[in-house]
Structures are given as C-alpha cells and as structure tokens.
Amino acid sequence: MQIGWCTLNCRFNQEEGVGDTLDSYAYDGNRVRKWNVTTTNYGKSWAAGDIVSCLIDLDEGTIAFCLNGVSLGTAFDNITRGAGMAYFPAISLSFKESVAFNFGSRPLRYPVEGYRPLQDPPSVDLVKAHKLLGYLKNVIHIGIDVLEGKLVEKDTSTWQLQGEPTVLITLTHIFNHFAPLMCKVYLVDDVLMHFLLSILERGGAVEAHPLIQQLLDLMWLLMEDYEVHECLKQLLMSLLRAYRFSPIIPDLGLQIHYLRLTIAVLKHEKSRKYLLNNVLFDVLRSVVFFYIKSPLRVEEAGLQELIPTTWWPNRFTKEGKESKEVKEESAEERLRRRAYDRGCQRLKKRIEVVEELQVQILKLLLNNKDRGGGEASRYIFLNKFRRFLQENASNRGNLTVLCPPEYMVCFLHRLISTLRCYWDGHKAKAPAALSSEEAYVPPQLFYNGKVDYFDLQRLGGLLSHLKKTLKDDLALKANILIDPAELQAVTMDDLDEDEETATSTAQRPVAALAIGGALARPSWLSSPTLGRANRFLSTAAVSLMNPRRPLGTLEKMKARTLSVEQRTEDDIEGSHGNEGLLLGRPPEEPEQSITENSLLEILDGIVMMYNLSVHQQLGKMVGVSDDVNEYALALKDTEEKISRCPKRRRDIYEELVKSQKVFSEKLNHLSRRLAWINVTIYSKEKMQDIYWLLRVCIRTIEHGDRTGSLFAFMPEFYLSVAMNSYSALKNYFSPVHSMEELPGYEETLTHLAAILAKHFADSRIVGTDIRDSLMQALASYVCYPHSLRAVERIPEEQRISMMRNLLAPYEQRPWAQTNWILVRLWRGCGFGYRYTRLPHLLKTKPEDANLPSLQKPCPSTLLQQHMANLLRSDCDMAPSFLNSVLNQLNWAFSEFIGMIQEIQQAAERLERNFVDSRQLKVCATCFDLSVSLLRVLEMTVTLAPEIFLDWSRPSSELLLRRLAQLLNQVLNRVTAERNLFDRVVNLRLPGLESVDHYPILVAVTGILVRLLMDTDFQGAKRATAVLLADPCFQLRSIQYLLGHAEPSALAAMPPSADKRHFSLHTYTDYISLEELAKVERMLNHLSEESKQAAASTLPTSEEDLCPICYAHPISAIFRPCSHKSCKACINQHLMNNKDCFFCKATITGVDDFIKPVSS
C-alpha cells in the first residue's frame, strides 16, 4: 500500500501507482519507504488499525506524514508548485488491502496544528450545537423549587423528567433546534458522543448513570422518528470507529470507555430494538465490538511496562521428536518465568474487564423479557444472526461481506459465555431442564424446516433428495407429512432450473440476488441443486401431526415453513400445543425439557461459526508460538558458537554478538506478543469454551444417531466441528494448557472415539469429503497412546464392527487411510518395526514432532485380537480382504518401479533435466503404500497364519502362492546388485527421502520369518515348498539381507570401490538379536531345502508343463472342456473370470489332474 498525493498529470496502471510517477509522492509503511520515482528509507512500520495523517504544505512546498499522531518528519520538500498544479489525495492498494479515509467529514483523530482538513468542519453548526448543548445541561443541572418559587441546582445523575410543564416546554424548544443538527455525522461525533462519554467519566457501573436513559427518552419524545434513527445510527457508527481505531494502552482504558457508552445506549429498550432491527447487522460490522485487537507493536501498547521481564520455554527437538531429557531449570530462569507469569496475569485481568463488558452487550441483545414495544430483542437478534451466518457461509469469495476470522474467534467466545449464562439462568427457574454442561442440539431442528441451513450440505446429501427418499421415515418417526403435490412442484421446478446455465446466473446483478434473498456464491461451493434445497424448505407444504391431541383434517394441520425475516417468537418458542423449533420429536428423543428453544438455535449458530472460520484462525495464531521456538533455538545455537569462538577471531565474535542481540530483541518482542495471544485466544477459559463446544457436538451426534435414517438430515459441519475442535484442543492450546486437565477428559475421548469408529463407514453419510475427514481423524486418533486407549474403551461390539469395516475389500473405495490405520495398530510389533523415524533420515532436518506419522509406536493388542478373530471366523472375509491387499500391493509396487525407471532415464541424459516434483511425490507415495501393504500382510500372517497355511480352508493355497510370488518379485527388484533401485536411492533426490532399502526389506523379511520360522512344522514345510516352487525365487536375495554378496558381483567390483552393502546386522538399534538369529536360521533352512529340491527334482518334459506359466507341472483339469493348467494359474484366473483360457467355455468345476503312470 502506498498513500500520498498526486496531480492530474499522473497516469497510473497496474505496474505504476502513487509515488512511481514524477508528480506523485507516497509513503509505504509496509516496506518503510517513501516514493517519488525513486525510493529511500522513511518513517516507521505500520499495522492494521493504524491512522496515517498525510500533510501537504503548499506554502513551503513540503509533504510530511504522521503515524497515530506522531510525526515521521518531512518526507519531501520543494515539490512542484505553480499555475495549473493541483494536488489530490491518492492511494495504491494490493489485493485484499483496504483503507478508510477521513477528509474532514468527521473530527480528525489526530489533528495537526497549522494544517486543515480538505473538508472544513461545520463551524456554524458546531457553535449552535455547543450552545444548545449548554442549554440542555443547564436544564438538567437546575430544577424548579415550586414551594420556594426559585431555581435550585440538582444532582444530574438522578435527573428525571417528571412532567414539569416549564421544563418540558424548555426542552421542546431546545430539541426543536438541536434535533436537525444531530443528524449530521460531524456533530454527533464531536458533540453528542463526547457529551455522553463525559457523563460516564465519573466512574461506577453503567447502571449508576440513568441520565443517559433519560436523554434517550427525551430524544424519542421530542425528535421526529427519522431524526432519532439517523442520530442513533451515526452515534453507533462513531462508537464503533472509536473502539476499532483506538490505540492499545496498558489499561485498555479507551476501549473500556467506548464499550461502557455502547452498553448505556443499548440499555435503552426502544433504542436497542431499533439498532438491532436496522443498524447493528445491516449497516455496521457490529462484531467489531467483541474483538480485542492484538498489538503488533508491543512498545506502543505498553506491554514493556506491564510485562517487564520476558521468558520463553526451552523446548528443543532432537531427531524429530521432543527430547525427553528435561533440562533442570536454573534459579535465574525460574525467577524470569515467575516474573513473566505475573506480568501475564496482570494483562489477563485487564483484558477480562473488556471481555466482561462485551458479554454485557450480548446479554442486552439476547434479552427476551423486553416485550414492551413489540418483539423481544432476542428474537430480532436471532433473525439477524442467522442472516449474518448465511452471508459468511455463502459468500466466501466476497471480502466486503465476510467477517474476518479474528473477529469471529472473539465473537464466538463472548457468545458462548452469554449463552451459558442464560441457559443456566433458565435451569435455575426450571429445574427439570438441562444445564449448559449437558447442552446439545436436538435432531428435529435438522429436518422440521424451522431453522434455515441455507445450502449447507447434509450427511445424507441434498436436502431435497432426503425429503423425497425419507418421506416415509419422516411420517413414521417424526409425524411430518410432506404433500405429494408440493413435492411434484419442486421436482418440476428443479427440471426447469437445470436448463439455466451457470453463466447466466453469474451475470445477474448483485442487487437482484440480494432482493431474492440468495446471495452470490462462488462456484466451488454452489450448484443449482444445492441452491434449490433451501427453497424446498420454504415452498413445500409440510403437514404436521401432533400425537398429543386428536388429529383433525389434513388442511388444518399444515404448517408453513417461514423465512428468517418472517418468524415470530411463537414460531421459535412455540405456544398452545405448538412446539416451535422442537416440532417433530422422534420417539428416540426424550420428552425432557432442554432449555428455551431460542437458545438452541443460538447454540446451533455457534457450532456453525466455529466451522466457518474460527478453527482456521486458531491454527493460524499458533505461528507466533512457533516463531518463538525457532528464535529460541537460533539464540541457543548462537550462544554455543560464541562460547566456542576462538579469541583470536575477534571479527567472528563481534558478528555473533550482533546476531545474539538481534535474536534476543526479537524474542523479547515475540514473548510479550505471545502473552497477549495466550490471554485473548489460548487462555484456560477459552480452552474450556472449545472443550464445551466439542462435548455439545458429541452429544448432538449421539442423539442424532439414535434416530436411525433421520440422522442423514444432520448438517455435515457438526461432525467437522467435533473433529476439528478436538484437534485444536490437542495441538493449538498446548503446551500452555493441557487437554488432560479438562474435566471428563477420558470420557469425552471415548465418546469421540465411538463416533469415529462407527461413522467412518456409515452408509447414511454419503459426502466424500466428510467420509475422508472421518477416516483421517480415526487414522490420527490411533497414532497417540491416550486416544488409542480411548478406542479400546468403546463397547466391544463397536470395536468389532470397526475392525470389520477396516477389513472390507480395498477395491472401489479409498483404502490408503484404512491401510494406514491397520499399520498403526501393528507398528511396534512387526519385524524391525519399532522406529519413529527411518534410520537413514535421522541426520536430516527433523520434521514437526507433532505429526501423527512421527509418534512413537503404540500397538493395540486388543484390536489386533479382534482382527485375528474376524479373519479366522469369517471364511469369506479373509480371502476377499487379502486378495484385495495383494492386488493393491501388485499395483503400487509396479507403479513405483515404472516411475523410478523414468526418473533414472531422466537422470542419465546428458542435457540438464528437472524431474517434476509432483512425480517424485507420487513415486514416494507408491513406495510408502507398498511398505504399508507389506506390513498389513505381515500383521495378518502373524495373527492368523492358518489363513495361508491351513490348506483345508478354501483359497489358502492360492493366497500363499500369490504372496510368495509378490515377495519374490519385491526381493528381486530391490536386492539385485547395482540395479535400478540402488541407483535411484543413491541419487538422494529431494522428495524421495523415504525411499530406502531398510523399510521395504525388513517388511518382507518379517513375513518370511513368520511363515518359515514362527509356525509349526507342517506350515513351515508348505510355505517352504511354495516359496521354492515359485520360478522367481532366488536364494541370493535372502543372502543379500545379511550382507552376503554374490561371488560374481564381488569379482566384478573394482578393488577401490568402498560401496557399503546392505545388511540387517548394521541396524542393531532397530532389530533385536533374536530377530537376527531367526533370519540366519531362515537362510540356512532355505539353503538346505533348495539343495534338496534341486537334487530331487526330476527333469520335466515340456508337454507336462502348464501351458500358461511354463513354471509348474499341469495339476488341474477344467470341467466341462477338459483343458489343463497348473492350479496356481486357474485359481488366480477364476478370481476375475469364469471362462476357459483356451475355448472360452464357462468353467463349472476344477478337478485335480494326475498324469497316468502308463504314459
């Protein structure tokens, strides 16, 4: 952003702006420079909310700038002047930047002596207004003593208009002249607002100053309605501007001052209702009142005085994970930490004062007892709040409508505090109702049409589709009948709308869309069908049956679904047998009173707010904490270098000391800023708010789940908020506060685990994105010991059901996350599978230690046992699951080999080539998938070896042959000397860091050891026979595992080569001696068996070999065509095809074939 002055001669374009041409002059606080064709350093850095004064002196020919009233000095002198030269204010903006100008229509926040605004103040009107205000003060200060017949001074704080004719006539004359002036922006800001603020300057609670209420009564009595309306609108706008742009001072006195006056104005019932109806959400971005901005310059905010001592945690990572050796805190560090904590507590107390005032404002807006002048404030607020949510949900691309996320965070916390206060207040009056600790949103809100969810996606898909397909369930469970004629009308309307192109919709004027009640929406969030879903609710006639009274005719029971603006208190709270928002209670829902219906809708809106932008902002602000850790690590490294620096290298020492000073200053600044953020965003109270929201979502999902098919009506964002709020509690609030300190922490984890375990494969949930999110959340859940134990605590039936869903065949569904979950349940039990990071990556830059993939192994023997029992007991599940795993392994490893071939070819070309980073990423992903699939096979072989080795089970022999074939292929590709895999690994390309011999070879070794060494004699014999019978088997691949190179390879290698051979013996930190001994025994066993097999194998004629693979003798004959092949080929073929290889006849059976002896 560049702001300053220019002449009419300047011509700007996308490349050149203010300051880039000869007769334009600009200041840029972002880059801290001034611009006039050339650029030089000037001024100070600015931040959002700062006020820049642009000064031009045409007598002296100078241009200067001020930042928040502080002069930055003369920027330019001797500017061009003379005939025909006129200067105009000018600004150049980048994308998403915005600015508010004041040319003098309002009083300047920081007037500069000797300079005038472009727009002169209304001096005549100012004199009149001040004189009339003086008269008004005199009337308030002086009363008439009727008995004495004289004027007497009175206490203004207790002044009331008591019907004295003389006083009333005098006030009428004053307001006759004063009212027109109070419609002007400048006068409201400079005269009225300062007068009202002066009343509150005497201190005490707002209630102790009833004079403001009396003055507002006078305004409504003695001014025309349009005058009062304009005056109140300008007053609130001035208050909002003053609050938003006031500088942060240590006691937040300015913010408190403006909030107190806002409360005083809103305490006046008639004024409050007018402002709610017409101003607060329509004209103003009133959410600003609930925001406490974070100071980017801690010096100007006074944080140095408030927190004189700084401190930061020394949490340094080692090998990608937090070091468990906690360094003893020195006495000096302990004193610094305690002083820092005391400073944070002082800051917290001051911010809590502001937060309490903001909650008071919301309590006034949610008042439902002020029915004197029509509808209560709460119901006006509800309708405006819903419209506010719709704008933010439907206009994510329209920056002028969107509420900034940082405002949303503060608004959410204040709204939760206010809601819980009213909720518990209702509980005190109605003991049968639920407390706020037990709050949830009942499921009928999602399908009875009383609450507008715009075009937000439901768990079961589009709302119009759900209404059609589940209309019988609605009638049976919720007593809601949908008129078939209306359904038909909606269907025909859908067909008509489908003909309308997206282009024509995009070309409609915004005003037309706003009149229709549908706001513009980006294409990625919108579709014609989604848009129709909302209109379906407002057009379809919904007939409701109430089981508590006799049913009348159908026409008498029809209830209209009203738009947000048309709803009344009765439509929300219900009356005379009408249940309002709770209409259509399903039989599974208890009849117990929850709370006031209006509070339920606010609770629903809070959940939606969190989903819209609050979670995103919580994650964004963690960056400050990360910066502190990075600078602390840099400072520690610098101090260590200073201690090691030789005394003779004075130049290096001085540079290191300079770096140390820079890092220390930056840490002092960041630690104070972090204190502010921890108090306003990550405090214990804010954490408890998010935790409460998590529990609300869990209870809501559980109640919705009990309704059976009607669960599909629940909006997707409830599941999203449940997952995201837990993630925020776990990742964003630590290490300041731990989730384990929260009440009912273990129970909450268990309930959330039950939700994830049940719904990740719930057929009622159709959205691809939400299903993926559930799967990813469950995959992350099983990576951490405390959450994995929560999964183990859910009921056994749910655990078994979860494992059954995880073992479903991998075809035609997203299987990578499912496979990852199974791998995490196994990690720590597999062969050489106890590492957190791969051995060859330990010396590389550590990654984020909080990533699920970098958590220490925490296997679940309980869930492994469930998996084993399922595979053993279900004869159909095991073959289908394992065949799908083998298919995906074949695909993943083949893709990986194909990609590294392309990478190797590109690397060998003489011309300079750059391999696409996306291709490298896909290649690494295929490798990781291959390893994880091998680990799942190892897990299966270990837990239920009979699936492969008990040949009385159908498909066991085929599964074992397929497994042996794939293992041999993997071994041959990876272990061959100087092969493709070796060459690509040695390139060490960025993006292929995870590709190495160790992870894939130990996975294969684990399977072989389980099959050959850890089973009974009969099983080992069968596995050995199948492995040796595979034509791809090579003994040297097994020898490679222990570092035994081929003699031919050793002979061919140059003597000078110092190439290190792979060997499991070099990984003793990861592979136990017992495991290594098993590999040695396996090698000896296979060596002996292969020698015996070679000696006993008789030469086989070509006629007796399988005509398909030419690797095995013919062993099967097909019915009815009598063609022959080996069992391995026909069994694998029959998995996907029932036709004969040769004649295409349908195969009805396969018999063993034994060659007659005579032949």
Side-chain angles (χ1 to χ4, degrees), residues 148-422:
E148 296 287 334
K150 61 180 182 179
L151 300 177
V152 293
E153 288 198 12
K154 293 177 64 176
D155 181 8
T156 56
S157 63
T158 59
W159 182 85
Q160 289 185 344
L161 180 63
Q162 297 175 339
E164 299 172 356
T166 307
V167 174
L168 188 58
I169 292 171
T170 305
L171 289 172
T172 304
H173 280 293
I174 293 172
F175 271 91
N176 188 42
H177 298 280
F178 194 54
L181 298 177
M182 288 303 99
C183 296
K184 298 182 179 179
V185 179
Y186 198 103
L187 301 177
V188 171
D189 198 315
D190 192 57
V191 179
L192 181 61
M193 187 174 79
H194 284 85
F195 169 55
L196 296 177
L197 286 170
S198 67
I199 297 173
L200 295 174
E201 281 177 354
R202 300 164 194 168
V206 176
E207 292 81 1
H209 302 283
L211 178 58
I212 294 179
Q213 307 299 307
Q214 297 293 322
L215 290 172
L216 288 170
D217 282 337
L218 279 177
M219 290 169 64
W220 282 101
L221 178 67
L222 302 176
M223 294 169 66
E224 297 291 340
D225 282 352
Y226 74 90
E227 292 173 330
V228 184
H229 294 167
E230 185 63 23
C231 180
L232 287 173
K233 183 180 85 171
Q234 296 301 339
L235 177 61
L236 258 290
M237 290 178 73
S238 296
L239 280 171
L240 189 81
R241 278 192 298 268
Y243 175 80
R244 182 181 180 186
F245 295 113
S246 292
I248 299 289
I249 56 177
D251 63 352
L252 298 168
L254 295 173
Q255 284 78 10
I256 291 171
H257 207 37
Y258 297 123
L259 287 175
R260 279 164 54 83
L261 179 53
T262 306
I263 291 170
V265 173
L266 292 176
K267 274 185 172 293
H268 189 267
E269 181 180 330
K270 193 171 184 181
S271 301
R272 176 171 69 249
K273 290 183 178 178
Y274 165 73
L275 291 169
L276 258 175
N277 264 316
N278 302 283
V279 177
L280 285 178
F281 285 93
D282 299 85
V283 178
L284 298 180
R285 186 179 273 173
S286 55
V287 179
V288 174
F289 279 123
F290 309 108
Y291 175 54
I292 303 178
K293 65 181 178 181
S294 174
L296 295 180
R297 289 184 296 275
V298 296
E299 299 82 5
E300 294 180 16
L303 289 184
Q304 285 179 323
E305 293 77 23
L306 203 60
I307 309 175
T309 305
T310 57
W311 172 85
W312 47 87
N314 290 317
R315 296 185 296 111
F316 304 116
T317 57
K318 182 181 181 182
E319 294 188 355
K321 52 186 179 297
E322 285 199 13
S323 176
K324 289 300 176 187
E325 300 86 29
V326 179
K327 188 179 176 182
E328 189 68 28
E329 191 178 40
S330 67
E332 182 186 354
E333 286 178 339
R334 190 180 305 111
L335 288 173
R336 283 181 57 210
R337 177 174 56 78
R338 290 175 179 173
Y340 179 74
D341 288 342
R342 286 194 297 272
C344 293
Q345 286 302 315
R346 288 192 293 270
L347 175 63
K348 183 178 180 182
K349 288 179 181 177
R350 297 182 181 188
I351 286 179
E352 282 175 348
V353 175
V354 176
E355 291 177 346
E356 179 54 36
L357 291 172
Q358 293 170 332
V359 170
Q360 285 185 39
I361 292 176
L362 274 174
K363 285 181 179 177
L364 290 169
L365 300 182
L366 292 182
N367 185 354
N368 66 335
K369 306 300 180 189
D370 54 347
R371 299 184 178 88
E375 197 173 18
S377 299
R378 179 183 297 178
Y379 306 105
I380 305 172
F381 174 86
L382 265 182
N383 295 336
K384 298 294 181 181
F385 180 50
R386 210 71 196 175
R387 178 63 64 193
F388 166 81
L389 292 174
Q390 182 178 10
E391 289 170 352
N392 283 274
S394 306
N395 289 272
R396 294 187 180 179
N398 188 345
L399 297 174
T400 59
V401 176
L402 283 181
C403 177
E406 58 270 26
Y407 293 8
M408 279 281 209
V409 173
C410 295
F411 187 33
L412 176 103
H413 287 296
R414 308 305 171 266
L415 202 51
I416 288 177
S417 300
T418 310
L419 173 73
R420 296 193 66 178
C421 177
Y422 272 112

Side-chain angles (χ1 to χ4, degrees), residues 1080-1092:
E1080 294 276 7
R1081 294 206 313 272
M1082 180 181 73
L1083 176 58
N1084 294 333
H1085 169 73
L1086 288 174
S1087 299
E1088 286 297 321
E1089 291 294 326
S1090 61
K1091 289 177 184 176
Q1092 292 179 15

Side-chain angles (χ1 to χ4, degrees), residues 860-1019:
S860 172
T861 53
L862 178 62
L863 297 176
Q864 288 175 19
Q865 194 58 47
H866 288 324
M867 175 178 172
N869 293 337
L870 284 168
L871 291 174
R872 288 193 192 105
S873 60
D874 194 330
C875 294
D876 295 329
M877 174 185 288
S880 60
F881 168 68
L882 289 170
N883 274 315
S884 68
V885 173
L886 292 168
N887 289 340
Q888 299 301 344
L889 175 60
N890 185 35
W891 167 81
F893 191 72
S894 300
E895 287 290 315
F896 168 70
I897 294 298
M899 287 184 189
I900 63 173
Q901 286 174 343
E902 294 177 11
I903 292 169
Q904 174 65 17
Q905 290 168 5
E908 288 179 345
R909 293 192 189 113
L910 293 177
E911 65 271 17
R912 192 173 182 182
N913 287 282
F914 295 97
V915 182
D916 187 1
S917 60
R918 287 176 299 178
Q919 184 181 4
L920 293 174
K921 187 174 181 179
V922 172
C923 180
T925 301
C926 287
F927 179 79
D928 294 338
L929 287 174
S930 301
V931 173
S932 64
L933 288 162
L934 284 166
R935 286 298 184 181
V936 169
L937 290 169
E938 179 194 19
M939 180 183 184
T940 310
V941 168
T942 306
L943 297 175
E946 59 269 31
I947 295 173
F948 293 92
L949 302 176
D950 180 5
W951 287 4
S952 63
R953 297 171 63 99
S955 304
S956 288
E957 183 182 357
L958 171 63
L959 289 172
L960 183 59
R961 291 188 185 280
R962 288 197 68 195
L963 178 62
Q965 183 183 23
L966 279 169
L967 294 180
N968 283 325
Q969 288 177 4
V970 172
L971 281 172
N972 293 342
R973 288 285 191 175
V974 176
T975 61
E977 290 292 339
R978 298 184 303 280
N979 67 354
L980 177 65
F981 187 86
D982 260 344
R983 291 198 295 271
V984 171
V985 167
N986 291 331
L987 288 174
R988 293 299 174 197
L989 295 173
L992 292 184
E993 293 87 356
S994 63
V995 178
D996 192 69
H997 293 81
Y998 180 84
I1000 195 163
L1001 287 181
V1002 291
V1004 173
T1005 306
I1007 298 173
L1008 293 174
V1009 167
R1010 297 290 186 267
L1011 287 172
L1012 302 174
M1013 296 288 104
D1014 293 344
T1015 55
D1016 56 24
F1017 175 77
Q1018 184 65 31

Side-chain angles (χ1 to χ4, degrees), residues 5 54-56 103-104 108 111-121:
W5 302 87
C54 304
L55 313 176
I56 185 167
F103 298 122
L108 298 179
V112 180
E113 188 176 353
Y115 289 86
R116 291 165 54 191
L118 290 177
Q119 182 177 340
D120 281 333

Side-chain angles (χ1 to χ4, degrees), residues 481 483 543-545 552-558:
L481 295 178
D483 191 339
S543 303
L544 301 156
M545 299 187 298
T553 60
L554 189 62
E555 289 73 22
K556 290 182 180 178
M557 294 307 301
K558 285 184 180 178

